[in-house]
Amino acid sequence: MQGKPAEWSEHLVAAPPTEVDKDAYRAHTAAAAKGVAVVSAVQGRWDHAVPVTDYLSVSYDPPTMLVSLYSLSRIAEAVAASGRWGLSVLAAGQRGIAERLGEQGAPLDGLLGQTPHYRRAPGTPALIAGAISWFELRTVSTLEAATHTLFVGEVTAMGRATGFGASPLVRFQSGYLRVR
Amino acid sequence: MQGKPAEWSEHLVAAPPTEVDKDAYRAHTAAAAKGVAVVSAVQGRWDHAVPVTDYLSVSYDPPTMLVSLYSLSRIAEAVAASGRWGLSVLAAGQRGIAERLGEQGAPLDGLLGQTPHYRRAPGTPALIAGAISWFELRTVSTLEAATHTLFVGEVTAMGRATGFGASPLVRFQSGYLRVR
């Protein structure tokens, strides 16, 4: 074992965690860079679409992705009910879309009115125009984890919605990463 | 529904997916920016440590994270066996660490010999010095998904290992994102 490195800080989490522990966790995870995407699903006559950073690629055989959604959110309910969802990976220039769709209590009526989008067929999830890449998925398993539900989905279709060479939109600390 | 956007491409996935489908998926997911971290675990007398991009924060109540590991890998076996793992979020200047630990077939003997690290107590996971943030976790649930195992862990300790203001190391396309 080596000595304690310079600038080392350490915070132990109590069981159960205190409010201080939760705040510390939020601050520490903000130090991870995360690409921004929009998760979308159709429930009844409504489009649901929210910005997310907590998604990942699970496997390419078969193509499989995962998204973590707050279990009590409308988007989690919509994804659970329909079993189909879209994931649009945003480009750096689409920060306004993330901010608009991320507003608390955004009304479902007209939610995507100002956001250019496309869907492959009536009733399928809206996909964001200009996204670096997009995926359509079918849920194959779910796992409840703390306050969130993990939706694991197999990719049924995918594509690009912008030219090659676009930079990604990336969250970092309490803002966005400046990329070049 | 709006018309098909400019520069729209579309690839449908067959069931079961073909090699062409898998290649297309790899190309499309490469267009998502992903912060790089190192997952570590101790098994017997050996440290295991590999770079990962497929991890995320699940919840802050309690502080909970997830990492997706190839089920047949040594690191998945080590995490499964020990039930405890570390996650060190790398800074932009730590690209060499990611590349060294990411080499195929890197021998376990001396794996971290060239990588400054620290552990909180004998037998606990190695944490990378100079990381933007680090977490120690205890596995609370797992889910098999396609070729991978999802490990969900509760955070037992966390901290920083560098000064404020460090930029993150971010994968994008087949290289690293240039940040400023």
Side-chain angles (χ1 to χ4, degrees):
Chain A
M1 188 178 326
Q2 305 178 9
K4 189 170 286 199
E7 308 190 271
W8 187 266
S9 80
E10 204 165 291
H11 179 104
L12 302 190
V13 179
T18 65
E19 291 305 312
V20 171
D21 292 336
K22 297 173 198 172
D23 287 347
Y25 178 72
R26 279 183 280 217
H28 283 82
T29 50
K34 301 171 176 184
V36 182
V38 169
V39 168
S40 54
V42 177
Q43 187 178 23
R45 55 181 289 225
W46 302 113
D47 276 309
H48 297 254
V50 301
V52 295
T53 53
D54 296 322
Y55 65 96
L56 53 79
S57 170
V58 172
S59 179
Y60 63 84
D61 190 14
T64 304
M65 304 182 88
L66 174 153
V67 67
S68 171
L69 299 173
Y70 179 56
S71 301
L72 301 181
S73 63
R74 296 187 304 195
I75 186 68
E77 188 189 320
V79 168
S82 81
R84 293 190 173 270
W85 39 292
L87 190 80
S88 303
V89 178
L90 297 187
Q94 297 187 300
R95 176 172 166 173
I97 293 174
E99 291 176 347
R100 198 158 59 234
L101 296 178
E103 280 171 15
Q104 290 294 319
L108 291 180
D109 195 2
L111 180 69
L112 292 173
Q114 296 176 66
T115 305
H117 60 281
Y118 179 69
R119 66 185 91 233
R120 297 181 53 252
T124 62
L127 303 164
I128 307 300
I132 295 186
S133 59
W134 60 262
F135 303 88
E136 263 186 25
L137 303 106
R138 181 176 54 81
T139 302
V140 293
S141 59
T142 61
L143 180 65
E144 301 292 323
T147 52
H148 282 58
T149 304
L150 311 175
F151 293 92
V152 178
E154 282 186 13
V155 176
T156 55
M158 61 191 146
R160 289 185 304 107
T162 189
F164 284 107
S167 290
L169 183 65
V170 184
R171 288 286 292 179
F172 181 61
Q173 300 291 10
S174 52
Y176 293 89
L177 197 64
R178 296 178 68 188
V179 301
R180 56 187 178 188
Chain B
M1 189 179 329
Q2 305 178 11
K4 189 171 284 198
E7 309 191 271
W8 187 266
S9 80
E10 204 166 291
H11 179 104
L12 301 190
V13 179
T18 65
E19 291 305 312
V20 171
D21 292 336
K22 297 174 198 172
D23 287 347
Y25 177 73
R26 278 183 280 214
H28 283 82
T29 50
K34 300 170 179 185
V36 182
V38 168
V39 169
S40 54
V42 176
Q43 188 178 23
R45 55 181 287 225
W46 302 113
D47 276 309
H48 296 256
V50 300
V52 295
T53 54
D54 297 321
Y55 65 96
L56 53 78
S57 169
V58 172
S59 179
Y60 63 84
D61 191 14
T64 305
M65 304 182 88
L66 174 153
V67 67
S68 171
L69 299 173
Y70 179 55
S71 300
L72 301 181
S73 63
R74 295 187 302 196
I75 185 69
E77 188 189 320
V79 169
S82 81
R84 294 192 172 267
W85 39 291
L87 190 79
S88 304
V89 177
L90 297 187
Q94 297 186 301
R95 176 173 167 173
I97 293 174
E99 291 175 349
R100 196 159 60 234
L101 296 178
E103 281 171 14
Q104 289 296 317
L108 290 181
D109 195 2
L111 179 69
L112 291 173
Q114 295 175 65
T115 304
H117 60 281
Y118 179 70
R119 67 186 89 231
R120 297 181 51 253
T124 63
L127 303 162
I128 308 299
I132 295 186
S133 59
W134 61 262
F135 303 87
E136 262 185 26
L137 302 106
R138 183 176 54 82
T139 301
V140 292
S141 60
T142 61
L143 179 65
E144 301 290 322
T147 51
H148 282 57
T149 303
L150 310 175
F151 293 92
V152 178
E154 283 185 13
V155 175
T156 54
M158 60 191 147
R160 290 185 303 107
T162 188
F164 284 107
S167 291
L169 183 65
V170 184
R171 287 287 293 178
F172 181 60
Q173 300 292 9
S174 51
Y176 292 89
L177 197 64
R178 294 177 68 189
V179 302
R180 58 185 175 188

